[in-house]
Amino acid sequence: MFLMWYRTLQLGIKSLWLHPMRSLLTMLGIFIGVASVIWLLAISEGISLEAQRQIASLGADTIIIRSVKPPSEKLSPQGVTPYGLKRDELDMLVSTIPTIRSALPIREIRRQFQYENVTIDGRLVGCTPEYADVTRLKVESGSFITDAENFRRENVCVLAAKVADRLFPGKDPLNKPVYVPESKDFYRVIGVLQHRNASAAIGGSLAAQDFSNDIYIPIRTLQQRIGDTVAMRRGGSFEGEILELNQITLITSSIEDVKTTASLVENALTSHNDMQDIAVVVPLELLEQARTTRMMFMIFMGLVAAISLVVGGIGIMNIMLATVTERTREIGIRRALGAKRSDIVRQFLVETIVLSVVGGATGIIAGVICNPAISLTRDIIKDRFPQTFAALPEVVQKLTPTIVPESIPIAFGISVIVGVVFGLYPAYRAAKMSPIEALRHE
Amino acid sequence: MISTPTRSACSVRDLKKEYVLKGETVRALRGVFFDVPEGDYVAIMGPSGSGKSTLLNMLGCLDKPSSGQLLLGEDDVAKMSDDELAEIRSRRIGFVFQSYNLIQQLTVVENIQVPLFYQGKLGKKESDRCVELAHMVGLAGRLSHRPNQLSGGQQQRVAIARSLVNDPYFILADEPTGNLDSRTTEEILQLFHRLNDEGRTIILVTHEDEVAKRAKRVVRLKDGVVQWDRSNTEESRREAAENAIRNLPVES
C-alpha cells in the first residue's frame, strides 16, 4: 500500500514536471496564501505585543486615578474653578480601603527649564520616592528623590534621559542647577534616569505617556514652591488652574484585588461624578481589552488568509480540471489497463496535494523570513529616504513582527486541506468518465 | 505455456446489449454465441454497425452486457461491479489498440508495466519481466525511450509487450494494424503468429480480409448476431502470409 502511494507520488511529480510553468503558477496561489497568513499574523502579533507591553508597564496591580479638566459647562463662568483630586481624598482612600498597599500622588505642570543659555519645554513632575519603582524608572547616575528630601521640601530634581541630553549637552548634569523661570526657582540635579519607552495612553489622552521630557522633584517641594494655583501661558493669554493632584497611582496588595478595589475607589470618589473631573484607569482591564482586541485581530486576519487560500485552491481546481480534460485519453488507457476509479482519484489527488504542499512549504519558508525581510526593508528605507522614514508612524518604524508558532502548522494544514478539497472534484470528474468514451477522446 | 484445448479462454452465450441513444433504443448485440478455446486465434469481422466494437468492449470488460453470459476463463464477468471489472482487466486481458494508446510521459518499460502497477505489483521481479518482454518484441535498444521517440510499428510492439505482461486469458487487439503501413503490418502479424504458436490466445477485430485470413478462425458479425463462424485451413493461412510478403513494396 505504501509502495503504491509512493509510486503514485512519483508519477504525479513526473506529470507535474511535464508542465513546469503551469505547476509553478498554480503553486503560487497557495504560496502567497500561506506566506500571507504567517506575515499577517506575525505583524499583528508584533503590534499587539507592543501594546500589551506598554500597558503592562503601567503595572498590572495598579489603579490610576487622573484628574481631567471638566467640560466647560461645569466650570463657573467667572474666576478659576478648582477641580480634580484632593490631598484629603488621597488620605481618605488610603485609610479606608485596606487592599491599597500604597498610593503615589503626582502633580505635574508644564514648565520651561533653563541651564546657562539653553531653554527647553518640559513637564515638572512632583512625586514621591516610590514613583520610580512603580513606573519602572531606572536611575542612570546619581539617585532618585528620597523621603528625607521630600519631607524637607528640598529644591532637588531628577532629569529624564532626554532632558539631560538637551539641557546639558556633553556635560555631566549632576549637582548643576536647573532654573525654572516661571517660578524663579533653582533645582539641584541629584540624578539622571535611563531612557524609557513610552507607555500606554491613560486618562483619555490619545498620546502614549512619554516620560522623556520630565523633571522630577519632591511633591512637597512643588506644593510649597508652586502651590495648587498655577498660571499657564496658552496661546499668548494666561490661564489659571487650581488643582491639588494630577494623578494618584494606587498599588493594590495583589492582582486579584484590582477590580474590587477599583470599584470601591470609584464609589468613594462619587463626588467627582458630577464634575466629570476624574478618570479611573485600570491597566489590568486595558490588558484584558488588548487581549480581546488581539483575538479579534487574529480572527480577522485568519479570515483574510482563509480567503486567499480559497482563491489559491480555486486556482488549483481550475488547473486540475483543465488537466483532467487534457489527459482524458490517458485516463481511458489507464482504466482499460486495470485502473479502478479509486486509482484515478488517487492519481489526481496526489497531484493536487503535491502542488499545494510544495506551495505551502515554500510559503512557510517565505513566512518565516518575515522578520529579517521587514527589518531589511526598513533599513533600506532609512538609508535611502530618511525623510520618508521619519514621516512613517511610530508603529511602523518600530514594528517587529513576532511569528505566531501555531500559524506554521495551521497554514501548512490548511494548504494540505485545500489541496484535498479542491482536488477531489477534478479527480472525481476524471474517475467518473467511462473508459470507452475516454479512449475515444482525441 | 502449453494450452489444453479443452479449456476455454472465453465463452459468449446469448450476449445482448442495448443502449439508448438520443431517445432511441439501439440493439447493438442481439444474442451472440461463440467460444474461444485457449490457444485459438480468432478474427472478428463485420461492417460498421454490426456490433463489432460493442462486442469488443464486452470482451474487454470495458462495458457490461444487458443480458446473456460472458465467461472469461472461470470468471463470469457479466454481473461484475466496476471495480471487479477493473481487476479482471488488469489481470486477465491484454489490450492492443489501433492507435497504440501508450502513455506519453512514461518510458517503454514503464508503459509495459502499467497493468502490473494496478495489480500492486511494483517489485524488481516485475520490472525485470517488462525488460524481458521488451527484448522479446524487439525493442531491446529502446527501453527508456518515450512513445514520441518511436515509430508506429515500434509503439505497437510496446503495446503488444504490455498486453502480455499480465499473462492474460487472451490478447484483445482492436484493428492493431489499422494505422500501419503494409511492411509494419506484416511485422506485427508475424509477431501475433509467433505468439499464437507459443500458445497465446488472440482475439483480433479487423475489417481487412488480408488480416483476417491470417487467423485460425473468422467470426463475422452482422446486425448484432454472428453471421458465420468458420476456420481457415493451415494452407490458406500460409498462402495468405506468402501473398502478403510477395506484395510488399520493394525496399528502395
Side-chain angles (χ1 to χ4, degrees), chain A residues 113-120 166-169 171 176-179 181 186:
Chain A
F113 305 116
Q114 235 174 354
Y115 177 73
E116 293 182 342
N117 50 0
V118 187
T119 307
I120 61 166
R166 285 166 66 200
L167 213 50
F168 300 94
K171 283 170 252 178
K176 300 218 166 63
V178 173
Y179 181 60
F186 285 97

Side-chain angles (χ1 to χ4, degrees), chain B residues 5-57:
Chain B
T6 49
R7 285 227 304 206
S8 156
C10 155
S11 159
V12 180
R13 292 273 167 274
D14 195 21
L15 198 69
K16 289 181 184 164
K17 177 68 179 177
E18 292 170 0
Y19 50 88
V20 179
L21 197 67
K22 288 173 192 156
E24 272 182 70
T25 307
V26 180
R27 296 172 66 197
L29 296 178
R30 306 172 178 219
V32 174
F33 292 82
F34 69 89
D35 274 297
V36 182
E38 273 190 3
D40 205 353
Y41 184 176
V42 187
I44 297 172
M45 295 198 71
S48 52
S50 61
K52 241 181 351 181
S53 305
T54 311
L55 181 59
L56 178 97
N57 289 338

Side-chain angles (χ1 to χ4, degrees), chain A residues 52-65:
Chain A
Q52 289 186 46
R53 193 197 59 70
Q54 286 189 358
I55 294 167
S57 69
L58 294 173
D61 58 350
T62 60
I63 296 164
I64 298 165
I65 314 162

Side-chain angles (χ1 to χ4, degrees), chain B residues 37-184:
Chain B
E38 273 190 3
D40 205 353
Y41 184 176
V42 187
I44 297 172
M45 295 198 71
S48 52
S50 61
K52 241 181 351 181
S53 305
T54 311
L55 181 59
L56 178 97
N57 289 338
M58 301 294 153
L59 292 174
C61 297
L62 291 170
D63 205 351
K64 283 189 250 187
S66 307
S67 71
Q69 200 182 33
L70 176 57
L71 291 175
L72 300 188
E74 273 90 54
D75 302 312
D76 183 0
V77 300
K79 292 179 181 66
M80 280 188 173
S81 72
D82 201 79
D83 275 2
E84 288 168 321
L85 287 180
E87 185 86 17
I88 293 289
R89 289 199 296 270
S90 87
R91 289 183 194 281
R92 293 299 183 212
I93 294 165
F95 273 108
V96 177
F97 301 92
Q98 177 173 8
S99 46
Y100 329 126
N101 279 344
L102 302 179
I103 295 170
Q104 293 302 318
Q105 64 262 39
L106 302 182
T107 64
V108 166
V109 176
E110 286 166 339
N111 260 295
I112 296 173
Q113 209 170 1
V114 170
L116 296 180
F117 183 84
Y118 291 114
Q119 290 177 35
K121 292 184 183 165
L122 305 157
K124 175 88 174 73
K125 205 179 85 195
E126 280 76 23
S127 49
D128 285 348
R129 174 163 163 73
C130 297
V131 173
E132 198 180 294
L133 283 168
H135 279 265
M136 196 199 84
V137 296
L139 291 170
R142 298 190 156 66
L143 297 181
S144 16
H145 284 53
R146 295 191 192 268
N148 57 14
Q149 297 168 302
L150 300 175
S151 71
Q154 287 169 333
Q155 290 191 52
Q156 198 59 298
R157 284 160 188 275
V158 177
I160 292 169
R162 182 178 67 187
S163 75
L164 294 173
V165 77
N166 51 359
D167 262 322
Y169 286 137
F170 49 83
I171 296 170
L172 190 61
D174 180 15
E175 305 274 10
T177 58
N179 283 5
L180 302 173
D181 62 27
S182 45
R183 181 169 295 279
T184 326

